[in-house]
Amino acid sequence: MTADVLVPTSADEAASLYGDGAGITVVGGGTILLPEIAVGRAKPERALMLHRAGLGTIEVAGDRVVIGAMAPISAVADVPDGALGQVARHLADGEIRRTATVGGNIAAAAAADAQRGDLGAPLIALGARVRSTGAGGERIEPIEEFLAGDRGRLVLDVQYDRFERRSGTAALRRRHAHSFSVAAVVACARPDGSDLRIGVSGVGPTAVRCRAVEQSRDAADVLSDVEPIDDAVASAAYRRAVLPKLVRDALDQLEPA
């Protein structure tokens, strides 16, 4: 069966063609979807191609950053906020970073053998918001709420506010460049320690916000926020053992030198 191919030339047209998402397969960079099609796990009926929809820009204006859903990971590596750029620069390899998109990274479902969405942790720590469209129309919501939902929506952009922050990142990765993190932690706070936000990715189906640690500043409380799982990358027991250490490392980086 040949899929119907839809190629919108604007964000508004993309939103209109997507509708409520029924029967639509969104095609961004294709780094996740195309292998799924190749092995027969994905069989699109209607493919919404976003490469001409004008969603690939990154705007840094005043106190706000807006990253279009089609912006490649390689471009995100250059945004002027340390935590997000640092994670983006270490995601997969150069070939993937030049092709994979921000929207695909945060919207893709977890794989059967590994977790996805490494950008979720820094975006949570930055207090990012996701603008999306789908059933019920357009909405903007905190990224942690978007990730906790069904994610059956078309991501238009991700945005966050800029202000002076300290940031800390800690991650455990496999040697292979294409591997996802075993666990990754990003923490951000103002220089006086206020507005602490912590995101964790790689240990479950989606990145999560660690509210218990934000309140207590105790790294061990991360296991109250996160329930690690087993997959082909690491066991749940291993993740439970290393995660508090990674959180402690990220928190220590927030302290003045």
Side-chain angles (χ1 to χ4, degrees), residues 31-186:
T31 57
I32 293 173
L33 178 62
L34 294 183
E36 295 291 297
I37 293 174
V39 298
R41 285 195 292 260
K43 299 178 180 180
E45 297 176 8
R46 304 177 73 207
L48 183 64
M49 311 289 288
L50 296 181
H51 60 288
R52 296 179 60 194
L55 294 172
T57 60
I58 298 178
E59 299 178 10
V60 181
D63 60 358
R64 192 170 70 141
V65 177
V66 180
I67 303 172
M70 283 293 290
I73 304 298
S74 58
V76 176
D78 297 326
V79 297
D81 292 282
L84 182 57
Q86 182 174 346
V87 172
R89 285 191 293 274
H90 290 89
L91 193 153
D93 61 16
E95 180 182 2
I96 295 294
R97 290 192 293 271
R98 288 189 294 272
T99 307
T101 65
V102 172
N105 189 268
I106 66 173
D113 57 351
Q115 308 315 306
R116 294 170 173 156
D118 281 4
L119 293 185
L123 289 170
I124 287 172
L126 289 167
R129 304 169 296 277
V130 176
R131 185 168 70 98
S132 67
T133 189
E138 185 176 309
R139 71 182 184 218
I140 298 176
E141 60 192 320
I143 187 167
E144 59 266 29
E145 294 182 11
F146 175 83
L147 292 174
D150 62 15
R151 289 184 289 170
R153 300 178 62 79
L154 176 65
V155 175
L156 300 174
D157 61 51
V158 181
Q159 50 195 261
Y160 62 89
D161 299 323
R162 296 188 69 203
F163 52 82
E164 187 177 1
R165 294 180 174 92
R166 297 183 188 276
S167 62
T169 63
L172 185 63
R173 303 177 185 275
R174 292 296 185 93
R175 291 181 180 274
H176 194 289
H178 288 283
S179 294
F180 297 96
S181 299
V182 172
V185 178
V186 180

Side-chain angles (χ1 to χ4, degrees), residues 176-238:
H176 194 289
H178 288 283
S179 294
F180 297 96
S181 299
V182 172
V185 178
V186 180
C188 289
R190 293 181 185 270
D192 64 2
S194 63
D195 290 335
L196 174 64
R197 292 179 62 96
I198 300 170
V200 171
S201 64
V203 300
T206 67
V208 297
R209 183 179 176 186
C210 297
R211 297 179 186 273
V213 182
E214 292 172 1
Q215 292 296 318
S216 69
R217 312 283 173 126
D218 184 346
D221 285 344
V222 68
L223 297 179
S224 299
D225 292 307
V226 177
E227 182 56 49
I229 67 171
D230 293 304
D231 61 21
V233 176
S235 68
Y238 182 66

